[in-house]
Amino acid sequence: MPESQARVFISHSAKEDRAREVQEALYEALKDSEALVPLLDKSDLEPGDMWRARINLWVGGCDAAVILLSGKALESDWVFYEAALLTYRRGRDPGFLVVPVYVDVDAATVEASRLHPTEITAIQAVHGAGRPVADIVEDVVTELGKAVCCGASPVERRARRLAGLFDVFKEKHLREAARFIDYDLKPWLPADDAQLILAAQLQSVGMRAAARAVLSLAASLPANMSEQEKADWLQKVVDLVASSWVDERAIERIPPIAKGQANPFALGLNAAAPLTARMYVLGSDAGEPEPWKLVPCDGIVGQDKVEKTIEELTAKVGRVLAAELKCKPEAVAGVLKKRNAWNPRPLFVSLPGAGMSDEILEALRQAFPRVTFFLLMGDAAAGGPPLTESMLEVLFPQLVRGDEDLFLESYDTFQWSVRP
């Protein structure tokens, strides 16, 4: 792909004839363009560890996007996820072009759909209801004429930290590992950096597809590395590959809140496992010299009085922080102050959201003012804790039902499958 060409991702639901006709005609119209190259994946994604990583590749590897909105698309988990991330990218980067196409729906229908939080109706759209497919495609291509190649994509930026772990290998080892990834990523990736290419591949295909490539790399680690160094290297790779499951829009708000640059001071996610929260934290701290830490802590249940809950929960949080900081519980506040004096590094504590209230969370903030609390609010259908927006920011987009369970199962299998 010539460097001057802008990569155009086509988001669609292929379950309706008219939407499929528009998608196919648009792809053909872009195929021979000198300035644009269409990116379209026709594989059927089933729920699993790879679908979020693959969609993050599509959304994060393009320079412009077309979102085909039809009746079925408005009901699709995939289209909702893609639209949320694409509109987020557009909001952050004025040079990133998003073209919504109302194939057989109108703005009012889109506004009333589950896509409402993405604010996609605020973007100038191509209207297709009742119009010939050729006319729709012509209008879309005209809009795409404004697209430019944006340089390093979010996929490339996210991959750089993982690529840094590959300095210990010769290029032949990287190419040997890449042979185990059975998916053509060439249109989406840079062409001249073997370390970055492999890192982006590993983070874009899901843990199952990445396992054999990681095993190949582990077998090629230098002989002068100790067993502990090899184990530490492998764990870092596992975590960085797994964290590609997290989307960029959800983690955008974590750094400013964790660094005290924005309100509120606590985060929420419709997840249940501390590991899930750790993946969000790990995905949000790219560019930092050391990964940010998240310390899991159990909640308190069965207490009749708020005062008793606050007392016990504060003591419990103090103990887990003391273990992490290697100090006595009564010394936690002083150690946190010294730890952050010259180089503030966010520290997170995950807690179950059940039973949490503004009063309890405020008491925790007073006891541990330099800690960001990450509340695990459970399944998507369970609803959130009774907290006000000034206390808690719920990360968006939220997890699709069942997605966390699939991730946790995949992560566990991935860890075991790559051990020497």
Side-chain angles (χ1 to χ4, degrees), residues 217-296:
L217 290 173
S220 302
L221 285 169
N224 61 356
M225 288 179 68
S226 69
E227 291 304 312
Q228 186 59 54
E229 288 173 331
K230 290 180 180 180
D232 291 344
W233 178 91
L234 187 57
Q235 188 61 57
K236 290 178 182 178
V237 171
V238 166
D239 285 346
L240 287 173
V241 170
S243 69
S244 64
W245 172 82
V246 177
D247 65 79
E248 295 229 356
R249 175 163 184 169
I251 63 178
E252 174 201 20
R253 290 290 295 160
I254 296 178
I257 290 174
K259 294 179 179 180
Q261 299 167 349
N263 289 322
F265 66 93
L267 301 160
L269 181 68
N270 62 323
L275 175 62
T276 306
R278 187 162 72 84
M279 289 296 106
Y280 274 74
V281 170
L282 183 63
S284 70
D285 71 349
E288 294 288 334
E290 292 292 332
W292 293 345
K293 292 290 186 70
L294 180 138
V295 184

Side-chain angles (χ1 to χ4, degrees), residues 50-62 81-82 85 89 154-155 158 188 203-204 243-249:
M50 65 98 81
W51 82 261
R52 286 173 64 98
R54 186 68 59 80
I55 291 176
N56 288 341
L57 163 70
W58 299 341
V59 170
C62 63
Y81 188 77
E82 291 164 3
L85 299 189
R89 277 196 66 190
V155 165
R158 175 178 282 194
W188 308 81
Q203 290 186 318
S204 302
S243 69
S244 64
W245 172 82
V246 177
D247 65 79
E248 295 229 356
R249 175 163 184 169

Side-chain angles (χ1 to χ4, degrees), residues 71-72 116 145 317 340 355 376 393:
K72 290 294 184 183
H116 171 71
V317 171
N340 289 276
L376 300 169
E393 176 154 338

Side-chain angles (χ1 to χ4, degrees), residues 42 69 130 204 255 327 334:
K42 297 184 179 181
L69 298 174
S204 302
C327 67

Side-chain angles (χ1 to χ4, degrees), residues 197-210:
I197 289 173
L198 180 59
Q201 286 177 315
L202 291 170
Q203 290 186 318
S204 302
V205 296
M207 289 176 277
R208 178 189 294 272

Side-chain angles (χ1 to χ4, degrees), residues 223-392:
N224 61 356
M225 288 179 68
S226 69
E227 291 304 312
Q228 186 59 54
E229 288 173 331
K230 290 180 180 180
D232 291 344
W233 178 91
L234 187 57
Q235 188 61 57
K236 290 178 182 178
V237 171
V238 166
D239 285 346
L240 287 173
V241 170
S243 69
S244 64
W245 172 82
V246 177
D247 65 79
E248 295 229 356
R249 175 163 184 169
I251 63 178
E252 174 201 20
R253 290 290 295 160
I254 296 178
I257 290 174
K259 294 179 179 180
Q261 299 167 349
N263 289 322
F265 66 93
L267 301 160
L269 181 68
N270 62 323
L275 175 62
T276 306
R278 187 162 72 84
M279 289 296 106
Y280 274 74
V281 170
L282 183 63
S284 70
D285 71 349
E288 294 288 334
E290 292 292 332
W292 293 345
K293 292 290 186 70
L294 180 138
V295 184
C297 183
D298 296 333
I300 297 291
V301 295
Q303 295 294 346
D304 295 330
K305 296 183 177 181
V306 173
E307 294 80 4
K308 187 65 173 177
T309 298
I310 291 174
E311 179 184 345
E312 293 194 11
L313 190 54
T314 300
K316 182 171 283 193
V317 171
R319 287 194 294 272
V320 299
L321 286 173
E324 172 64 29
L325 298 171
K326 297 179 174 57
C327 67
K328 294 180 179 181
E330 58 268 24
V332 166
V335 172
L336 285 173
K337 185 176 181 180
K338 292 177 181 178
R339 179 181 183 272
N340 289 276
W342 290 346
N343 182 24
R345 285 174 292 163
L347 183 60
F348 298 78
V349 171
S350 65
L351 287 165
M356 193 65 67
S357 67
D358 283 359
E359 185 178 356
I360 296 172
L361 197 53
E362 178 61 32
L364 291 174
R365 177 168 69 166
Q366 295 300 322
F368 309 102
R370 297 176 181 270
V371 171
T372 301
F373 290 95
F374 200 124
L375 302 190
L376 300 169
M377 297 159 54
D379 189 80
L387 293 162
T388 61
E389 292 183 0
S390 63
M391 303 289 285
L392 176 79

Side-chain angles (χ1 to χ4, degrees), residues 18-85:
R18 181 167 168 80
R20 190 163 47 248
E21 287 179 30
V22 174
Q23 169 252 297
E24 291 173 351
L26 178 59
Y27 183 84
E28 290 300 318
L30 296 176
K31 219 168 41 170
D32 299 325
S33 171
E34 294 183 0
L36 304 167
V37 57
L39 301 176
L40 178 71
D41 193 287
K42 297 184 179 181
S43 61
D44 293 325
L45 289 183
E46 297 295 333
D49 86 275
M50 65 98 81
W51 82 261
R52 286 173 64 98
R54 186 68 59 80
I55 291 176
N56 288 341
L57 163 70
W58 299 341
V59 170
C62 63
D63 300 303
V66 177
I67 308 176
L68 302 180
L69 298 174
S70 60
K72 290 294 184 183
L74 297 183
E75 301 171 359
S76 167
D77 286 340
W78 313 147
V79 173
F80 169 73
Y81 188 77
E82 291 164 3
L85 299 189

